[in-house]
Amino acid sequence: MKVAIVDDSKFIRMVIKQIVQSNPSFEVIWEAENGKDAFLENENYMADLIISDVEMPIMDGVELLKNLREKSHRSECLIVSGFHRSDGKKIIEAFRLGAIGFISKNKIGKGINLNEFREDILDYLGAIEKQIKRNILSPKSINNSQVIQISSKADMLLIAGSAGSLEPLEEILRRIDYFHIPIIAAIHMPEGVDEFFVNRLNKFYCDNGFKIRISNDGSIVENSVSMLKGGFEAELREKSNDFFISYIPPKIGKLFTPNIDSFLKGVSEKNKLCDVVILSGLCSDACEGSKIHKENGGLIFVQDPSTAVAKTMPLSVIAKGYQDIIAEPKKIGDLLTEKYSLSHGG
């Protein structure tokens, strides 16, 4: 696979190049120190993946991505940047333009293990390589015999996502009229944003039998969607054979809350099983948690990355091979409804 690196720091380019070339399947075909030079290079030698910084002189990473899309360059783009508050709008715009993910350069700062940064980049490379080598299972290729085979005995369904996951979640819930198990929505968001999220969902879907609610009191209710509170970490707890959610403030500097991996691992530790839906998201959170439930017999549904605003979360699961089904959100909703009507005799 052909990879290009764009960063105004020669040191960062060197680090990323060494990581990429540690796998003989990946070849760095060119480097550039700004977006303008990168665009010209890609006109002549098109890369499968461009790993780009955001803040650069002459032309930044967002402008580079915009130019690539306007000229119909097929190259995917992975953003690698020092995450500062001033970068937030640019990073969101990069995802809107089709960037597949974001990796923080802060991971190679003082006191941070370089291996974590290395693994993040190689995970993305592996996921993109798989996309190039084979077609992702399309919704049209899922037939009735496959639907019958995807039954499990999950105690709950967890729908996970981050940036760009509101519309996919709406598409899924629109197709569900009744569930015999609780649905928990774990979406990365700050405190207070969850209220907007839930109010919008209830505005459109309150007539289908569902109550979509923020689980402020920690309760988990059958035939409802319980949204984990934004800005807090969530943990599944047990009391008198009943399960509920407890909340604690996140660690200082934590970018994404609730921590979905941590919640999923806690569910497994309580001997409960989740089916998991992975939607559009900015990071790889939920990947390791999905692995645990897949090994225990849960099903992992992943939004087709080509339909995701932020591809990081779906691609991280696909790169590891944890998924059972990859499909657009509408089809995931249909499959979930069909699965539970089959497995519960409804």
Side-chain angles (χ1 to χ4, degrees):
M1 185 172 68
K2 297 177 181 179
V3 180
I5 303 168
V6 190
D7 200 297
D8 56 333
S9 167
K10 186 175 181 179
F11 170 72
I12 296 296
R13 294 202 307 271
M14 178 193 71
V15 170
I16 295 175
K17 184 175 182 178
Q18 289 178 349
I19 292 171
V20 172
Q21 294 188 330
S22 67
N23 188 319
S25 298
F26 309 137
E27 175 190 6
V28 176
I29 59 171
W30 53 262
E31 299 176 41
E33 62 182 18
N34 62 68
K36 181 178 179 181
D37 290 347
F39 180 78
L40 294 174
E41 288 282 1
N42 208 53
E43 286 270 71
N44 297 318
Y45 306 101
M46 192 169 296
D48 297 313
L49 173 69
I50 298 174
I51 302 175
S52 178
D53 190 12
V54 173
E55 295 293 346
M56 295 180 290
I58 303 177
M59 181 187 289
D60 65 20
V62 174
E63 286 299 316
L64 167 60
L65 186 51
K66 187 179 297 183
N67 284 324
L68 292 172
R69 295 297 171 255
E70 287 177 354
K71 297 298 182 180
S72 300
H73 286 210
R74 298 184 306 275
S75 307
E76 298 283 8
C77 190
L78 172 63
I79 298 298
V80 179
S81 177
F83 187 85
H84 304 289
R85 290 187 182 275
S86 58
D87 292 335
K89 290 183 179 180
K90 287 189 174 183
I91 291 171
I92 291 172
E93 177 65 9
F95 280 113
R96 190 187 69 80
L97 291 167
I100 65 167
F102 164 77
I103 298 175
S104 173
K105 285 197 291 189
N106 296 340
K107 291 185 177 181
I108 59 175
K110 184 177 179 181
I112 302 298
N113 191 337
L114 182 59
N115 286 333
E116 186 179 353
F117 182 77
R118 178 179 184 275
E119 289 173 4
D120 283 346
I121 289 181
L122 291 178
D123 278 350
Y124 278 110
L125 291 170
I128 295 167
E129 188 177 36
K130 286 183 179 181
Q131 280 191 296
I132 291 172
K133 288 183 176 180
R134 64 175 174 82
N135 292 325
I136 287 178
L137 179 64
S138 68
K140 293 181 180 178
S141 69
I142 302 173
N143 57 41
N144 290 334
S145 63
Q146 286 176 296
V147 173
I148 292 172
Q149 292 170 8
I150 60 167
S151 60
S152 78
K153 298 179 180 179
D155 299 293
M156 61 189 72
L157 173 72
L158 185 132
I159 304 177
S162 181
S165 61
L166 176 55
E167 289 187 9
L169 180 58
E170 289 176 347
E171 292 287 359
I172 290 172
L173 297 183
R174 184 181 299 181
R175 282 156 176 77
I176 298 173
D177 55 7
Y178 187 83
F179 251 42
H180 295 266
I181 62 173
I183 301 175
I184 297 173
I187 309 295
H188 293 147
M189 66 184 79
E191 185 177 3
V193 177
D194 45 16
E195 294 182 11
F196 160 79
F197 215 90
V198 167
N199 288 339
R200 173 168 166 172
L201 290 170
N202 274 320
K203 180 179 179 180
F204 293 102
Y205 308 117
C206 60
D207 294 334
N208 67 352
F210 268 120
K211 175 64 178 176
I212 303 165
R213 51 190 285 280
I214 304 169
S215 184
N216 286 315
D217 60 358
S219 61
I220 301 174
V221 182
E222 183 179 298
N223 197 41
S224 72
V225 181
S226 299
M227 180 82 66
L228 298 184
K229 288 174 62 175
F232 289 83
E233 300 295 10
E235 182 177 328
L236 188 71
R237 292 186 179 272
E238 183 178 14
K239 183 177 181 180
S240 301
N241 295 320
D242 289 327
F243 288 87
F244 64 96
I245 300 166
S246 67
Y247 296 101
I248 57 173
K251 295 179 181 178
I252 295 175
K254 184 70 177 176
L255 289 175
F256 300 109
T257 54
N259 185 306
I260 301 168
D261 267 334
S262 177
F263 184 81
L264 284 170
K265 291 173 183 177
V267 171
S268 177
E269 289 168 0
K270 298 295 188 299
N271 295 316
K272 291 292 182 180
L273 181 64
C274 266
D275 284 344
V276 183
V277 177
I278 305 295
L279 300 179
S280 171
L282 296 172
C283 65
S284 60
D285 189 22
C287 185
E288 291 306 309
S290 296
K291 175 187 177 183
I292 291 171
H293 288 277
K294 181 176 177 64
E295 290 174 344
N296 290 337
L299 295 169
I300 312 300
F301 299 81
V302 181
Q303 180 180 356
D304 185 336
S306 68
T307 69
V309 172
K311 306 178 194 300
T312 311
M313 200 173 280
L315 281 175
S316 66
V317 176
I318 295 169
K320 298 290 188 180
Y322 300 153
Q323 78 283 352
D324 291 291
I325 293 291
I326 304 171
E328 64 178 352
K330 292 179 182 178
K331 188 61 181 180
I332 290 176
D334 292 339
L335 290 171
L336 289 171
T337 301
E338 182 70 12
K339 166 190 148 35
Y340 281 97
S341 66
L342 287 167
S343 60
H344 293 276

PDB file of all heavy atoms in Angstrom, residues 3 9 28 58 66 70 88 98 103 107 162 175 184 187 209 222 262 288 329 345:
ATOM      1  N   VAL A   3       1.794   5.012   0.832  1.00  0.00           N
ATOM      2  CA  VAL A   3       1.491   5.969   1.898  1.00  0.00           C
ATOM      3  C   VAL A   3       2.308   7.241   1.691  1.00  0.00           C
ATOM      4  O   VAL A   3       3.466   7.177   1.264  1.00  0.00           O
ATOM      5  CB  VAL A   3       1.812   5.366   3.282  1.00  0.00           C
ATOM      6  CG1 VAL A   3       1.490   6.358   4.395  1.00  0.00           C
ATOM      7  CG2 VAL A   3       1.051   4.059   3.489  1.00  0.00           C
ATOM      8  N   SER A   9       6.959  19.324  10.562  1.00  0.00           N
ATOM      9  CA  SER A   9       8.031  18.881  11.453  1.00  0.00           C
ATOM     10  C   SER A   9       8.780  17.702  10.830  1.00  0.00           C
ATOM     11  O   SER A   9       8.196  16.636  10.601  1.00  0.00           O
ATOM     12  CB  SER A   9       7.467  18.465  12.815  1.00  0.00           C
ATOM     13  OG  SER A   9       8.433  17.764  13.567  1.00  0.00           O
ATOM     14  N   VAL A  28       6.296   4.229   1.781  1.00  0.00           N
ATOM     15  CA  VAL A  28       6.187   5.685   1.781  1.00  0.00           C
ATOM     16  C   VAL A  28       6.679   6.187   0.433  1.00  0.00           C
ATOM     17  O   VAL A  28       7.859   6.052   0.105  1.00  0.00           O
ATOM     18  CB  VAL A  28       7.001   6.315   2.929  1.00  0.00           C
ATOM     19  CG1 VAL A  28       6.944   7.845   2.826  1.00  0.00           C
ATOM     20  CG2 VAL A  28       6.475   5.859   4.281  1.00  0.00           C
ATOM     21  N   ILE A  58       1.432  27.752   4.652  1.00  0.00           N
ATOM     22  CA  ILE A  58       1.061  27.823   3.233  1.00  0.00           C
ATOM     23  C   ILE A  58      -0.321  27.192   2.976  1.00  0.00           C
ATOM     24  O   ILE A  58      -1.223  27.843   2.488  1.00  0.00           O
ATOM     25  CB  ILE A  58       2.128  27.177   2.317  1.00  0.00           C
ATOM     26  CG1 ILE A  58       3.488  27.839   2.551  1.00  0.00           C
ATOM     27  CG2 ILE A  58       1.712  27.290   0.840  1.00  0.00           C
ATOM     28  CD1 ILE A  58       4.620  27.239   1.750  1.00  0.00           C
ATOM     29  N   LYS A  66      -9.677  19.325   1.342  1.00  0.00           N
ATOM     30  CA  LYS A  66     -10.703  19.934   0.503  1.00  0.00           C
ATOM     31  C   LYS A  66     -10.287  19.905  -0.972  1.00  0.00           C
ATOM     32  O   LYS A  66     -11.078  19.566  -1.852  1.00  0.00           O
ATOM     33  CB  LYS A  66     -10.933  21.380   0.956  1.00  0.00           C
ATOM     34  CG  LYS A  66     -12.100  22.071   0.261  1.00  0.00           C
ATOM     35  CD  LYS A  66     -12.269  23.491   0.779  1.00  0.00           C
ATOM     36  CE  LYS A  66     -12.605  23.501   2.258  1.00  0.00           C
ATOM     37  NZ  LYS A  66     -12.848  24.892   2.749  1.00  0.00           N
ATOM     38  N   GLU A  70     -12.093  17.973  -4.103  1.00  0.00           N
ATOM     39  CA  GLU A  70     -12.567  18.732  -5.261  1.00  0.00           C
ATOM     40  C   GLU A  70     -12.003  18.188  -6.563  1.00  0.00           C
ATOM     41  O   GLU A  70     -12.656  18.255  -7.613  1.00  0.00           O
ATOM     42  CB  GLU A  70     -12.195  20.209  -5.093  1.00  0.00           C
ATOM     43  CG  GLU A  70     -13.026  20.935  -4.046  1.00  0.00           C
ATOM     44  CD  GLU A  70     -12.585  22.373  -3.851  1.00  0.00           C
ATOM     45  OE1 GLU A  70     -11.553  22.768  -4.447  1.00  0.00           O
ATOM     46  OE2 GLU A  70     -13.268  23.107  -3.105  1.00  0.00           O
ATOM     47  N   GLY A  88     -10.049  22.098  17.235  1.00  0.00           N
ATOM     48  CA  GLY A  88     -11.288  21.336  17.244  1.00  0.00           C
ATOM     49  C   GLY A  88     -12.134  21.519  16.003  1.00  0.00           C
ATOM     50  O   GLY A  88     -12.552  20.553  15.373  1.00  0.00           O
ATOM     51  N   GLY A  98     -14.264  13.859   4.930  1.00  0.00           N
ATOM     52  CA  GLY A  98     -13.982  12.451   4.661  1.00  0.00           C
ATOM     53  C   GLY A  98     -12.727  11.886   5.266  1.00  0.00           C
ATOM     54  O   GLY A  98     -12.310  10.777   4.904  1.00  0.00           O
ATOM     55  N   ILE A 103      -5.468  10.865  15.069  1.00  0.00           N
ATOM     56  CA  ILE A 103      -4.534  10.363  16.073  1.00  0.00           C
ATOM     57  C   ILE A 103      -3.801  11.557  16.666  1.00  0.00           C
ATOM     58  O   ILE A 103      -3.287  12.401  15.929  1.00  0.00           O
ATOM     59  CB  ILE A 103      -3.520   9.370  15.479  1.00  0.00           C
ATOM     60  CG1 ILE A 103      -4.230   8.145  14.918  1.00  0.00           C
ATOM     61  CG2 ILE A 103      -2.495   8.927  16.541  1.00  0.00           C
ATOM     62  CD1 ILE A 103      -3.308   7.171  14.208  1.00  0.00           C
ATOM     63  N   LYS A 107       0.652  11.839  21.954  1.00  0.00           N
ATOM     64  CA  LYS A 107       1.078  10.518  22.417  1.00  0.00           C
ATOM     65  C   LYS A 107       2.575  10.312  22.299  1.00  0.00           C
ATOM     66  O   LYS A 107       3.124   9.360  22.848  1.00  0.00           O
ATOM     67  CB  LYS A 107       0.349   9.427  21.629  1.00  0.00           C
ATOM     68  CG  LYS A 107      -1.137   9.346  21.939  1.00  0.00           C
ATOM     69  CD  LYS A 107      -1.791   8.190  21.228  1.00  0.00           C
ATOM     70  CE  LYS A 107      -3.259   8.069  21.612  1.00  0.00           C
ATOM     71  NZ  LYS A 107      -3.915   6.926  20.956  1.00  0.00           N
ATOM     72  N   SER A 162     -19.635   8.272  18.338  1.00  0.00           N
ATOM     73  CA  SER A 162     -19.049   9.561  18.700  1.00  0.00           C
ATOM     74  C   SER A 162     -19.497  10.573  17.659  1.00  0.00           C
ATOM     75  O   SER A 162     -20.681  10.614  17.316  1.00  0.00           O
ATOM     76  CB  SER A 162     -17.522   9.427  18.762  1.00  0.00           C
ATOM     77  OG  SER A 162     -16.911  10.640  19.140  1.00  0.00           O
ATOM     78  N   ARG A 175     -36.361   1.951  12.959  1.00  0.00           N
ATOM     79  CA  ARG A 175     -36.788   0.640  12.469  1.00  0.00           C
ATOM     80  C   ARG A 175     -37.146  -0.329  13.585  1.00  0.00           C
ATOM     81  O   ARG A 175     -37.504  -1.470  13.334  1.00  0.00           O
ATOM     82  CB  ARG A 175     -35.675   0.054  11.597  1.00  0.00           C
ATOM     83  CG  ARG A 175     -35.679   0.676  10.239  1.00  0.00           C
ATOM     84  CD  ARG A 175     -34.361   0.616   9.515  1.00  0.00           C
ATOM     85  NE  ARG A 175     -34.577   1.170   8.190  1.00  0.00           N
ATOM     86  CZ  ARG A 175     -34.681   2.476   7.923  1.00  0.00           C
ATOM     87  NH1 ARG A 175     -34.569   3.356   8.896  1.00  0.00           N
ATOM     88  NH2 ARG A 175     -34.885   2.908   6.693  1.00  0.00           N
ATOM     89  N   ILE A 184     -28.820   0.337  25.488  1.00  0.00           N
ATOM     90  CA  ILE A 184     -28.009   1.391  26.087  1.00  0.00           C
ATOM     91  C   ILE A 184     -27.263   2.105  24.965  1.00  0.00           C
ATOM     92  O   ILE A 184     -26.608   1.467  24.137  1.00  0.00           O
ATOM     93  CB  ILE A 184     -27.021   0.824  27.117  1.00  0.00           C
ATOM     94  CG1 ILE A 184     -27.781   0.177  28.277  1.00  0.00           C
ATOM     95  CG2 ILE A 184     -26.083   1.913  27.630  1.00  0.00           C
ATOM     96  CD1 ILE A 184     -26.896  -0.559  29.257  1.00  0.00           C
ATOM     97  N   ILE A 187     -22.629   7.309  23.742  1.00  0.00           N
ATOM     98  CA  ILE A 187     -22.138   8.230  22.730  1.00  0.00           C
ATOM     99  C   ILE A 187     -21.200   9.236  23.391  1.00  0.00           C
ATOM    100  O   ILE A 187     -21.556   9.848  24.401  1.00  0.00           O
ATOM    101  CB  ILE A 187     -23.302   8.986  22.047  1.00  0.00           C
ATOM    102  CG1 ILE A 187     -24.381   8.000  21.565  1.00  0.00           C
ATOM    103  CG2 ILE A 187     -22.787   9.849  20.910  1.00  0.00           C
ATOM    104  CD1 ILE A 187     -23.937   7.053  20.480  1.00  0.00           C
ATOM    105  N   GLY A 209     -43.352   3.364  20.501  1.00  0.00           N
ATOM    106  CA  GLY A 209     -43.346   2.532  21.695  1.00  0.00           C
ATOM    107  C   GLY A 209     -42.116   2.706  22.556  1.00  0.00           C
ATOM    108  O   GLY A 209     -42.077   2.227  23.688  1.00  0.00           O
ATOM    109  N   GLU A 222     -36.415  -2.063  30.489  1.00  0.00           N
ATOM    110  CA  GLU A 222     -36.742  -2.859  29.299  1.00  0.00           C
ATOM    111  C   GLU A 222     -37.555  -2.036  28.316  1.00  0.00           C
ATOM    112  O   GLU A 222     -38.366  -1.207  28.693  1.00  0.00           O
ATOM    113  CB  GLU A 222     -37.524  -4.105  29.711  1.00  0.00           C
ATOM    114  CG  GLU A 222     -37.837  -5.043  28.545  1.00  0.00           C
ATOM    115  CD  GLU A 222     -38.583  -6.285  29.000  1.00  0.00           C
ATOM    116  OE1 GLU A 222     -38.011  -7.054  29.801  1.00  0.00           O
ATOM    117  OE2 GLU A 222     -39.716  -6.481  28.560  1.00  0.00           O
ATOM    118  N   SER A 262     -14.321   0.691  28.749  1.00  0.00           N
ATOM    119  CA  SER A 262     -14.400   0.428  30.185  1.00  0.00           C
ATOM    120  C   SER A 262     -15.788  -0.070  30.570  1.00  0.00           C
ATOM    121  O   SER A 262     -15.936  -1.014  31.355  1.00  0.00           O
ATOM    122  CB  SER A 262     -14.059   1.701  30.963  1.00  0.00           C
ATOM    123  OG  SER A 262     -14.197   1.497  32.349  1.00  0.00           O
ATOM    124  N   GLU A 288     -11.785  -2.850  22.002  1.00  0.00           N
ATOM    125  CA  GLU A 288     -11.407  -3.942  22.902  1.00  0.00           C
ATOM    126  C   GLU A 288     -12.607  -4.480  23.669  1.00  0.00           C
ATOM    127  O   GLU A 288     -12.704  -5.674  23.942  1.00  0.00           O
ATOM    128  CB  GLU A 288     -10.313  -3.473  23.872  1.00  0.00           C
ATOM    129  CG  GLU A 288      -8.975  -3.217  23.202  1.00  0.00           C
ATOM    130  CD  GLU A 288      -8.491  -4.423  22.413  1.00  0.00           C
ATOM    131  OE1 GLU A 288      -8.468  -5.539  22.980  1.00  0.00           O
ATOM    132  OE2 GLU A 288      -8.146  -4.258  21.236  1.00  0.00           O
ATOM    133  N   PRO A 329     -26.546   1.914   8.427  1.00  0.00           N
ATOM    134  CA  PRO A 329     -27.399   1.952   9.627  1.00  0.00           C
ATOM    135  C   PRO A 329     -28.811   1.437   9.421  1.00  0.00           C
ATOM    136  O   PRO A 329     -29.356   0.745  10.285  1.00  0.00           O
ATOM    137  CB  PRO A 329     -27.389   3.442  10.007  1.00  0.00           C
ATOM    138  CG  PRO A 329     -26.085   3.934   9.500  1.00  0.00           C
ATOM    139  CD  PRO A 329     -25.838   3.196   8.212  1.00  0.00           C
ATOM    140  N   GLY A 345     -38.834 -15.329  19.768  1.00  0.00           N
ATOM    141  CA  GLY A 345     -40.133 -15.863  19.393  1.00  0.00           C
ATOM    142  C   GLY A 345     -41.211 -14.817  19.249  1.00  0.00           C
ATOM    143  O   GLY A 345     -42.392 -15.119  19.307  1.00  0.00           O
TER     144      GLY A 345
END
